[in-house]
């Protein structure tokens, strides 16, 4: 993997945010006030939010869209994270991988499962539905479409709304990985890095 040790585009520091940017983040991100409070115990602003702060209108649109996938999913969040982790691993997105390993573990994915994401659908740990999700992610990354066999397997477990959501999760996080890789965003301090 080839990554730059120096970001090409550094996250915009909160002190540089104008009121419009702060308002957009408060309007779309439940935890915005915690990050923006400047209190001594306020959590550090995640780098991705500092990158999005460079383009307030795009940030608002992305946060609204992504909020639907994360906060109001029609699919099990563990299935979503499995797809995101596979996309992050395959796209070499250090930042996305480290963020979503933490999220996946918080949702109950085991260390063994997180490790198995690296090996893909052929790893023995996976249930049939998990294997189908990983296969779907690989096919989207490799061929930009899901083949008939995998689609039929997914239809056994997901309704039409969920199928569309799964496709958008994979595509959205590939788009985000391309942005994060291109700006060379480094994993947030105190977050686990890809090993």
């Amino acid at each position: 993997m080839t990554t730059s040790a120096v970001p090409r585009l550094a996250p915009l520091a909160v002190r540089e945010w104008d009121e419009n940017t702060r308002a957009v983040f408060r309007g779309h991100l439940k935890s915005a006030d915690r990050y923006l409070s400047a209190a001594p115990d306020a959590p550090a602003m995640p780098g991705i939010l500092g990158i999005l702060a460079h383009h307030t209108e795009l940030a608002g649109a992305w946060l609204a869209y992504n909020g639907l996938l994360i906060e109001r999913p029609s699919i099990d969040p563990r299935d979503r994270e499995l797809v995101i982790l596979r996309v992050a691993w395959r796209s070499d997105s250090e930042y996305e991988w480290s963020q979503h390993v933490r999220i996946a573990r918080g949702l109950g994915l085991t260390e063994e499962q997180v490790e198995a994401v690296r090996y893909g659908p052929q790893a023995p740990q996976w249930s049939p539905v998990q294997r189908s999700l990983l296969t779907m992610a690989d096919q989207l990354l490799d061929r930009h479409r899901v083949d008939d066999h995998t689609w039929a397997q997914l239809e056994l477990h997901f309704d039409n709304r969920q199928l569309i959501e799964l496709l958008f999760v994979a595509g959205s996080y590939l788009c985000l990985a391309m942005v994060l890789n291109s700006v060379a965003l480094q994993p947030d301090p105190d977050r686990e890095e890809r090993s």
Side-chain angles (χ1 to χ4, degrees):
M1 174 171 58
T2 306
T3 58
S4 172
V6 178
R8 291 177 174 166
L9 179 63
L12 190 63
V14 173
R15 68 183 174 281
E16 298 175 42
W17 292 20
D18 61 25
E19 278 310 309
N20 182 49
T21 302
R22 291 171 184 269
V24 165
F25 278 77
R26 283 188 176 111
H28 294 333
L29 189 66
K30 289 180 183 177
S31 57
D33 284 328
R34 290 186 315 131
Y35 295 123
L36 297 172
S37 73
D41 63 342
M45 179 68 68
I48 180 61
L49 298 180
I51 292 297
L52 289 172
H54 284 286
H55 192 317
T56 303
E57 291 172 320
L58 189 141
W62 174 263
L63 290 170
Y65 166 71
N66 198 52
L68 174 68
L69 297 177
I70 299 297
E71 296 171 10
R72 297 182 311 278
S74 69
I75 58 176
D76 185 314
R78 290 170 298 194
D79 292 340
R80 177 197 67 224
E81 290 305 314
L82 194 60
V83 171
I84 293 170
L85 285 174
R86 187 63 178 162
V87 169
W89 181 257
R90 291 278 318 274
S91 62
D92 289 328
S93 180
E94 294 280 341
Y95 189 91
E96 195 168 271
W97 176 262
S98 66
Q99 291 287 354
H100 287 276
V101 163
R102 181 181 52 80
I103 293 167
R105 287 179 180 149
L107 291 170
L109 266 72
T110 66
E111 191 63 42
E112 180 182 65
Q113 289 172 316
V114 169
E115 179 64 26
V117 167
R118 302 168 192 232
Y119 301 101
Q122 67 275 12
Q125 292 86 346
W126 305 124
S127 69
V129 66
Q130 292 168 325
R131 188 167 284 110
S132 295
L133 290 167
L134 293 165
T135 300
M136 176 202 77
D138 283 354
Q139 289 175 353
L140 288 169
L141 292 166
D142 294 340
R143 299 181 213 134
H144 308 124
R145 72 179 305 274
V146 178
D147 73 20
D148 292 340
H149 174 75
T150 302
W151 188 262
Q153 293 302 306
L154 291 167
E155 284 183 310
L156 296 174
H157 306 284
F158 301 101
D159 65 27
N160 291 339
R161 180 177 184 211
Q162 293 170 319
L163 290 167
I164 292 294
E165 189 168 316
L166 285 166
L167 296 172
F168 270 93
V169 165
S172 299
Y173 279 86
L174 176 58
C175 175
L176 190 58
M178 290 188 293
V179 171
L180 299 174
N181 288 349
S182 295
V183 301
L185 182 61
Q186 304 300 301
D188 290 331
D190 85 334
R191 300 283 191 222
E192 286 196 40
E193 295 187 28
R194 179 180 178 160
S195 54

